Amino acid sequence: MNAPIHAPMNALGPAGIPGLPLAADAATLSALVREAVASGLPRRVLHIRLAPHLLRAHHHRLLREALEPVLRPTRAKLFALPGGDLIALAPGETHHFDSVAAHLRTLLAGMDSAWDAPPPITLLRLPEQAVALLATLEASLHPDEEDPVPPGAAALPDAVVDQPTLARLERSLATAGLGAFLRCRPVLRMAPGARGGAGRVREWQEWRIATAALAAALLGPGERGRDLGAGRPPGGGTHAHGLHAAGLPTGGARRRLPLARPLRTLLDRRLLAELARPEEAQARGPMGLSLGLSAIAAAEFHRFDQSLGPEGRARVVIGIDAEEILADPNGFLAARAVLSGRGYRLAVNLADPEALALLPRAALGVELARLRALPGVLGAAGRPLPEGWPPDAIVMTGVDRASAVGWGWEAGITLFEGRLFRN
Amino acid sequence: MARMEVLPVAARGGYGPAAAPAWSGPVADSLLPLVGQALAGPPGRAALLLPALDAAARRAARLLLRDAARACGGTVTETGFGEMLLLGVTLQAADRTVEALAALGLAPAARWRLPEQAAAIRRWATGTPRAPAPPVADPPAETEPALGGITVRRFVLRIGTGPAGAGRAGWRVAISRSALAASLGAPAASDPDRLDQAMAAATHRLVLRPDPDLFRVPEAEGRWYLPLPPGSAAPPPPLRPAAIGVLPPAALAEPQALALRRQRLRRAGWEDIAVEGLSAALLPFLVPAALPPACDLLLRWSPWLADRAATAAVRRLDPARLILTGCDAGGDALSWGLGLGLRRFAGAGLQAPP
């Protein structure tokens, strides 16, 4: 089971961007960086950071055309990271890179029709700045649910969003376009024994807003490390979990905060607004998203609904947190009547496999359970799933280690989503 | 701060009546033109009027009304009084909506056929003096200070075999959601998210800085059922001996975390936990055998509990674990509960035995 999961990222990630002079993958680049550190030989690095919405062949072609002539005299090698970033690495003290960067900036600014803002370019020096580069590489190989918190940012153990901050966030979020913070990851059907990407079928894409990156952008550098989604419930994404809340020693414990609930609704609504953009809606294909009951009652949901059409709706999985169902069963009943009536697929979001036994699938009227893979909560592998929950009805989400896949396979589960799996 | 309060009668699943003055919906200056428009539309249409509801019920009802409106080109208007008006839907859609509302324990205040009952709906639209909408304040800032006015309700917990021959088993303390909503003012009071947030904050405050008056009752001994905030990291010390920490139903979503919390609370000196919020609406969504073992379960009374399906679901629970809350003075709750072997009851309708 280890083999397919810990295989080099080419087996999991994209095989590179077509048409790009792909010298090697990120793993090779890491090796080169470590080598530079070990040998003390100077290297210059040029890093072009690309937002996910720029990850299109078209943009990469533009960039390649800009890069090739300026890089040729530097003997630089160009690497395309799985996350889409481009990194050029050149031997020696190439002062030439400074002028290359300047030239590129002018060039990219001149092509501003291709993007909202030109992608940022960073120059790094090895071996001194190897740590920063390795962090970037690590993030592209194993992107966290969220964008990595910038190094040096103090992660607050209690990510408390206080009232004034909340007010500020709400005001900014009410109007901001969040396209740059939109993230998606595939839900893959993966049978045990499938090797190196063979036999993985993408069932749909899970969409969400990168809350940590958004917090960093909105709150400014002093506030980085806070995660707006800290109050988000388990299945939906990413973050703090009840066992953290209960004080289990699970590392950087983040409290689940009731304060974040209104914020969550606001983010849900912004997510829906982004997904409802007509120019994008058609191209998205099957998708999954987690919504609170308030968001389903909001006007943004109606616009999203209209952008889909009947066929589109049948390809959308909507996850609702078990907590919300328990707290407001009538609200869930109303939401279910509306969602099922319109042809959506319904899921309940869970963070604890034991909750499956408590929640009868048939009575809930949901097709799927999105079970968040939390180490320490999954428990021993090999226990059968409770009655009424066939393995096909379960999606394991937030899978970030091979053991979770193993746990799922033991139970017969074949649907997985998580940072182990990229598009 | 803590004062006794008459508890409002809860609807199915705990939807209570609205906190009266707090609504912030658009003022219905434009009601008449809208009504006129609907009347000018195709015949054979209907209108539904929903009364003011509490935040969660309003959210659920709004979902259903909007769905009906979208399906057949109708409109949903929210008046400054918190009423919701569905206009211009087909008769079948209106029927379906009334049915769906009934499943939530809600019923329209009025139902009109258009255009036959044009006069009646016009009378309604013009008849009530429309109050101006309360000024919309900056919402987040006002939430916290308003919590100063939390109202804590204290109910006697009765044990007994009949309305007459009953003894006291202890006390239950709860925060009044409707009083909290009223103290928040618009628009927070109509937003279930904000209300939940305020409830959690108020519960924190109650547990960490309790008002000593709360426990100053004659015969204060016996078990005290006290609310605990969701997901607090370190368990607070118990407020008094024989304290039971009452957790909201959402805590059931994570059985392992719940078990751990129970263990930690016991170690901190609490007698045990209990889970509240079981209701006629929630019971169908739970497998009784998988509820946390051997702790008290607070079952919220509503007339819907007496339905056959709900009663059958209650029968699958150990009556010795159940406390029927929200008992009214009328005695329906008591007689229903006693019939099922329940022995513990709480509610404003129950008087402390002499």
Side-chain angles (χ1 to χ4, degrees), chain A residues 24-314:
Chain A
D25 60 27
T28 315
L29 183 54
S30 312
L32 283 175
V33 174
R34 293 201 171 88
E35 200 180 289
V37 175
S39 64
L41 289 174
R43 299 270 190 282
R44 290 305 304 273
V45 175
L46 188 146
H47 178 192
I48 305 171
R49 195 178 283 272
L50 288 180
H53 68 288
L54 291 179
L55 292 182
R56 298 200 186 112
H58 160 67
H59 294 112
H60 275 269
R61 201 182 59 246
L62 283 177
L63 279 171
R64 187 194 60 195
E65 281 165 10
L67 278 168
E68 266 180 349
V70 288
L71 287 181
R72 204 172 297 127
T74 66
R75 291 186 294 135
K77 282 183 188 164
L78 190 60
F79 300 84
L81 301 189
D85 289 10
L86 291 171
I87 288 188
L89 184 129
E93 285 279 8
T94 42
H95 299 297
H96 188 57
F97 256 28
D98 295 329
S99 55
V100 166
H103 182 69
L104 270 179
R105 283 192 188 109
T106 324
L107 208 62
L108 294 180
M111 305 192 300
D112 57 359
S113 59
W115 34 65
D116 312 329
I121 297 171
T122 324
L123 282 173
L124 297 169
R125 190 187 299 276
L126 295 184
E128 297 92 320
Q129 290 171 293
V131 176
L133 184 55
L134 284 172
T136 305
L137 290 172
E138 181 59 25
S140 80
L141 280 171
H142 304 288
D144 197 345
E145 286 270 357
E146 305 299 344
D147 292 345
V149 175
L156 303 180
D158 289 330
V160 177
V161 179
D162 52 30
Q163 284 292 354
T165 310
L166 183 69
R168 197 147 54 92
L169 283 169
E170 289 192 316
R171 274 193 298 273
S172 337
L173 283 172
T175 50
L178 298 188
F181 300 98
L182 209 54
R183 304 282 187 272
C184 74
R185 249 188 344 214
V187 171
L188 299 177
R189 189 173 292 283
M190 241 172 30
R195 296 261 144 194
R200 292 160 198 268
V201 180
R202 191 171 88 185
E203 297 278 325
W204 69 83
Q205 300 259 37
E206 282 287 333
W207 290 86
R208 70 201 163 79
I209 283 173
T211 48
L214 185 61
L218 286 177
L219 298 172
E223 314 277 340
R224 283 167 185 226
R226 290 189 181 190
D227 186 341
L228 301 184
R232 280 189 81 114
T238 61
H239 328 270
H241 165 246
L243 288 187
H244 286 276
L248 260 198
T250 45
R254 274 186 268 174
R255 276 200 288 151
R256 179 204 303 272
L257 288 164
L259 208 59
R261 267 283 293 279
L263 202 54
R264 190 221 160 153
T265 296
L266 193 56
L267 287 173
D268 282 351
R269 288 169 46 199
R270 300 302 302 159
L271 173 67
L272 287 166
E274 289 298 333
L275 292 177
R277 287 185 198 284
E279 65 271 23
E280 313 266 355
Q282 299 306 317
R284 286 222 159 88
M287 60 175 121
L289 56 159
S290 284
L291 295 174
L293 294 178
S294 292
I296 297 168
E300 284 85 353
F301 182 80
H302 295 264
R303 277 194 288 278
F304 169 74
D305 180 71
Q306 265 160 357
S307 77
L308 290 169
E311 279 167 36
R313 287 178 201 125

